[in-house]
Amino acid sequence: MKDPIPRKTVYRLSLYNRCLEQLGFAGSGTVSSEVLSKIAGVKSPQLRKDLAYCGHVGKRGLGYDVVLLRERLAETLGTSRLPAVVLVGTGNLGSALLRYQEGFAKEGFEITAAFDARPEKRSSDISVPVLPMTELSKFVTERGVKMAILCVPGTAAQSVCNLLLENGIQAILNFAPVILQTPPGVAVNNVNLAIELENLSYFIK
Amino acid sequence: MKDPIPRKTVYRLSLYNRCLEQLGFAGSGTVSSEVLSKIAGVKSPQLRKDLAYCGHVGKRGLGYDVVLLRERLAETLGTSRLPAVVLVGTGNLGSALLRYQEGFAKEGFEITAAFDARPEKRSSDISVPVLPMTELSKFVTERGVKMAILCVPGTAAQSVCNLLLENGIQAILNFAPVILQTPPGVAVNNVNLAIELENLSYFIK
């Protein structure tokens, strides 16, 4: 049973992990909480509190052993074994994300397949296999895929979401402009770039 | 002086706007709060409370006049005049977003220019002009651009952010894996796809 780590803490733990990775720390060495918190852009006491969820990883006056810290972060976040991901909806945004596959791969994620109602319309520069929606159930259940990226139009989002959940998907990164209705135990993170931009424009004077 | 609408309400108002748009309502007609709230995936009382920020737009028993509601949403959100946007950092993700320009344009946003330390490395299928970083200050101040999409590596994010703010940028959509330090009055929305995925993977059983 995992500890109930607050969602915002999980987010920051991911952030620390990325910061350590991006800094390209060599195989050994330590990093102080002051340095790491500065890079991550959080307050140092916040960082220490967050990292306490990973057990006793810091040494007083010496900082954090980088190798140990990254191992513990991966264990805590469950990212030592990154799950397979499918993408549904290969329109403008879905295609852009598939072309970003290289970027995801660098971060340790692999989109194993994409699905679309009209798979034949995919552009030639996409290397991920694009399959028809009718093959989704079989693919996802056979391979035990638990995570999906949803890029279908808003009007189709809820029904595709239901199909995903019926086939064992437990976590969805949702790009459709709809708040999905899901049962407890399903995790949904929403990203809508147009809404983010529109939302920001409200704050411009 | 704008009313202080809570950030989450602003987000949902944007969502309602998108839903009305996506549904392709014709020039006239009404929509009930029940129908609109169902499409948006929020509770009906929540929707009515949110729309109260747009003034008296509903008629008892008749629902909302669609034309009027969209006008009021645009006024309230300040999206009747959508601001110009620049994108900084044309690596994997920045390039993917520029290729999605078509999708942004459909939503009413135009990325007027992109900037990169090495603008010559852009791929040929990007139609937005990609300029060197040295031209950023002039471009942004001359055209009064207030909004930027930040796609640079984490290690460069804060310094590029500072440069943007010095040149009058007031709102940033940040894709870099760093929590940016900004003065009050600057709006930052964070999107980090790798962190969103990693974060979701934590919730898979």
Side-chain angles (χ1 to χ4, degrees):
Chain A
M1 195 57 194
K2 282 172 182 171
D3 288 348
I5 306 182
R7 270 193 94 122
K8 290 203 163 175
T9 307
V10 173
Y11 188 89
R12 285 192 302 268
L13 292 176
S14 271
L15 178 65
Y16 305 145
N17 201 15
R18 300 282 148 202
C19 289
L20 289 172
E21 187 182 280
Q22 287 224 349
L23 281 169
F25 276 111
S28 61
T30 59
V31 61
S32 69
S33 59
E34 286 71 26
V35 168
L36 184 54
S37 63
K38 189 148 185 262
I39 295 162
V42 303
K43 303 260 183 257
S44 177
Q46 175 75 71
L47 174 103
R48 283 192 295 268
K49 197 180 152 199
D50 291 341
L51 291 184
Y53 283 100
C54 300
H56 296 286
V57 282
K59 282 175 194 155
R60 196 178 299 272
L62 285 175
Y64 299 98
D65 180 291
V66 172
V67 174
L68 182 63
L69 181 54
R70 293 208 58 191
E71 273 176 23
R72 288 290 180 82
L73 281 168
E75 274 168 32
T76 308
L77 292 165
T79 49
S80 26
R81 28 153 196 79
L82 281 179
V85 185
V86 293
L87 182 145
V88 188
T90 59
N92 282 327
L93 183 64
S95 297
L97 292 178
L98 289 176
R99 286 193 204 94
Y100 180 55
Q101 167 74 6
E102 193 188 328
F104 283 128
K106 218 167 60 186
E107 308 276 3
F109 287 95
E110 196 202 357
I111 299 174
T112 48
F115 295 88
D116 198 277
R118 291 185 299 156
E120 67 284 2
K121 73 180 162 66
R122 76 176 172 85
S123 55
S124 59
D125 58 343
I126 289 172
S127 57
V128 176
V130 180
L131 308 172
M133 285 301 287
T134 47
E135 290 184 27
L136 188 142
S137 299
K138 188 163 176 280
F139 188 97
V140 165
T141 48
E142 277 187 4
R143 301 184 189 218
V145 179
K146 301 288 179 221
M147 208 152 114
I149 301 175
L150 192 58
C151 301
V152 299
T155 45
Q158 186 63 54
S159 65
V160 174
C161 168
N162 296 346
L163 177 69
L164 290 168
L165 301 186
E166 280 162 23
N167 288 288
I169 294 289
Q170 295 175 353
I172 296 174
L173 184 55
N174 174 40
F175 285 85
V178 177
I179 298 173
L180 298 172
Q181 304 296 313
T182 55
V186 173
V188 177
N189 282 2
N190 293 296
V191 181
N192 185 299
L193 301 179
I195 290 184
E196 297 286 350
L197 284 172
E198 188 168 288
N199 175 273
L200 279 175
S201 74
Y202 174 75
F203 297 98
I204 291 177
K205 284 167 273 307
Chain B
M1 196 54 195
K2 281 171 182 169
D3 287 350
I5 308 183
R7 271 192 94 121
K8 290 203 165 175
T9 306
V10 173
Y11 187 89
R12 285 191 302 268
L13 292 176
S14 271
L15 178 65
Y16 306 145
N17 200 15
R18 301 280 149 202
C19 288
L20 289 172
E21 187 181 278
Q22 287 223 349
L23 281 170
F25 277 111
S28 61
T30 58
V31 60
S32 70
S33 59
E34 286 70 26
V35 168
L36 185 54
S37 63
K38 188 147 184 262
I39 295 161
V42 303
K43 303 258 184 261
S44 176
Q46 176 75 69
L47 175 103
R48 283 193 294 268
K49 197 180 151 200
D50 292 341
L51 291 184
Y53 282 100
C54 300
H56 296 286
V57 283
K59 283 177 194 156
R60 195 179 299 271
L62 286 173
Y64 299 98
D65 180 290
V66 172
V67 174
L68 183 63
L69 181 54
R70 293 207 57 191
E71 273 175 23
R72 290 291 181 81
L73 280 168
E75 274 168 31
T76 309
L77 293 166
T79 49
S80 24
R81 27 157 195 78
L82 280 179
V85 185
V86 293
L87 183 145
V88 188
T90 58
N92 283 327
L93 182 63
S95 296
L97 292 178
L98 289 176
R99 286 194 203 94
Y100 180 55
Q101 167 74 7
E102 192 188 329
F104 283 127
K106 218 166 60 186
E107 307 275 5
F109 288 93
E110 195 202 358
I111 299 174
T112 47
F115 296 89
D116 198 278
R118 292 184 297 156
E120 68 282 0
K121 72 180 162 62
R122 77 179 171 85
S123 56
S124 58
D125 57 343
I126 290 172
S127 57
V128 177
V130 181
L131 308 172
M133 285 300 285
T134 47
E135 291 184 28
L136 188 143
S137 300
K138 190 165 175 276
F139 188 97
V140 165
T141 49
E142 276 187 5
R143 303 185 187 218
V145 179
K146 301 289 178 222
M147 209 153 114
I149 301 175
L150 191 58
C151 301
V152 300
T155 45
Q158 186 62 53
S159 65
V160 173
C161 169
N162 296 345
L163 178 70
L164 290 168
L165 301 186
E166 280 162 23
N167 288 288
I169 295 289
Q170 295 174 353
I172 297 174
L173 185 55
N174 174 40
F175 285 85
V178 177
I179 297 173
L180 298 172
Q181 304 296 311
T182 55
V186 172
V188 177
N189 284 1
N190 294 296
V191 181
N192 186 300
L193 301 178
I195 290 183
E196 297 287 350
L197 284 172
E198 188 168 289
N199 175 273
L200 279 175
S201 73
Y202 174 76
F203 297 98
I204 292 176
K205 283 167 274 301

